[in-house]
Amino acid sequence: MTPPLTGPLARVNVRADAWDLIWSFVHRTLVINLGLAIGGVPLFFALATVAQPWRYPVFFAVLAVPLGPSVAAAFAYLAGEDPSLPVLFRAYRVLAVRAVLLWAAVVGLIGILVADIRLLYDAMPGAAVVPLLAVLVVLTLATGLALLVLSATKPELPLRAALRLAVYAAVRTWALSVLSLVVLVAAVVIVSQVPPAGLATVPGCALWVVFTNTKLQLSRVLPEESQ
């Protein structure tokens, strides 16, 4: 007769539906990581080969633009019920053009703001506006993420209305915007320090947090009939 199990594992009692939820989350995370890895191949290759990437901001900004459609497709994939890989690819194909244009505008505006900060930070009176420029960088990135979520979940929304909602959500619920950006920065740091393991696990989890936060932000500013 087999003796009963003893120790910590014997006290683990997880319902079957909880395991299904866990494995569904793991599966979705791996699918999203695969999509990001494919969309970001040029950027990841350049980061792996260039010793000081911050010295080439324009080059790396251009390489970051293709991540826009990958992120938008990941948001659309998270919004759906079907966890299969073709869903992600279909979302990428549908959202690619609008997402790349939106993300290119976001990256370009952030690049201009960062260039202004570098130019003004060490001399008065220009240094006085540096905090404002830094806030605008954060607002631009938060707005860009909200625009990608709206593109993925409400593609019928006109661009002007989507932009207004994204800015309003980012400002009104600023704490969630900051949380999303902190999570993204932490993910970038982890991936840069441990590239293989980081790419395999972290980006999908980070985008899930960003998607959840942004949906909550938008739910507070969208009209009830649009939710």
Side-chain angles (χ1 to χ4, degrees):
M1 180 178 180
T2 304
L5 291 174
T6 59
L9 291 178
R11 293 190 293 271
V12 175
N13 185 15
V14 181
R15 293 166 48 186
D17 55 348
W19 281 116
D20 289 341
L21 183 63
I22 292 171
W23 288 118
S24 175
F25 176 78
V26 172
H27 173 75
R28 284 178 177 269
T29 298
L30 293 176
V31 169
I32 291 171
N33 291 342
L34 176 62
L36 289 174
I38 294 175
V41 164
L43 177 62
F44 299 144
F45 180 76
L47 288 173
T49 55
V50 177
Q52 297 177 325
W54 56 87
R55 298 183 62 180
Y56 312 96
V58 176
F59 174 69
F60 280 94
V62 171
L63 293 182
V65 170
L67 287 179
S70 298
V71 173
F75 290 154
Y77 175 74
L78 288 172
E81 299 292 335
D82 188 352
S84 59
L85 183 61
V87 173
L88 182 71
F89 291 149
R90 284 197 299 270
Y92 187 96
R93 185 174 64 251
V94 171
L95 299 170
V97 175
R98 184 173 185 177
V100 78
L101 292 176
L102 288 174
W103 197 242
V106 170
V107 171
L109 182 54
I110 290 176
I112 293 172
L113 292 170
V114 171
D116 290 340
I117 291 173
R118 292 184 61 183
L119 181 65
L120 300 172
Y121 81 98
D122 61 348
M124 292 297 291
V129 301
V130 168
L132 174 61
L133 294 175
V135 171
L136 289 177
V137 170
V138 173
L139 177 60
T140 301
L141 185 52
T143 300
L145 292 171
L147 281 172
L148 292 181
V149 171
L150 285 171
S151 297
T153 58
K154 296 188 177 298
E156 73 283 356
L157 202 63
L159 179 58
R160 182 176 298 179
L163 179 59
R164 185 170 60 250
L165 286 171
V167 173
Y168 185 40
V171 172
R172 183 181 177 185
T173 55
W174 61 269
L176 289 175
S177 297
V178 172
L179 175 60
S180 295
L181 298 184
V182 168
V183 170
L184 286 180
V185 170
V188 170
V189 171
I190 294 173
V191 170
S192 64
Q193 296 299 314
V194 194
L199 282 175
T201 57
V202 174
C205 298
L207 286 185
W208 179 82
V209 173
V210 172
F211 178 70
T212 303
N213 282 348
T214 307
K215 278 209 313 179
L216 179 59
Q217 291 177 272
L218 293 171
S219 70
R220 298 181 179 180
V221 298
L222 280 170
E224 291 186 3
E225 63 272 13
S226 301
Q227 297 182 24

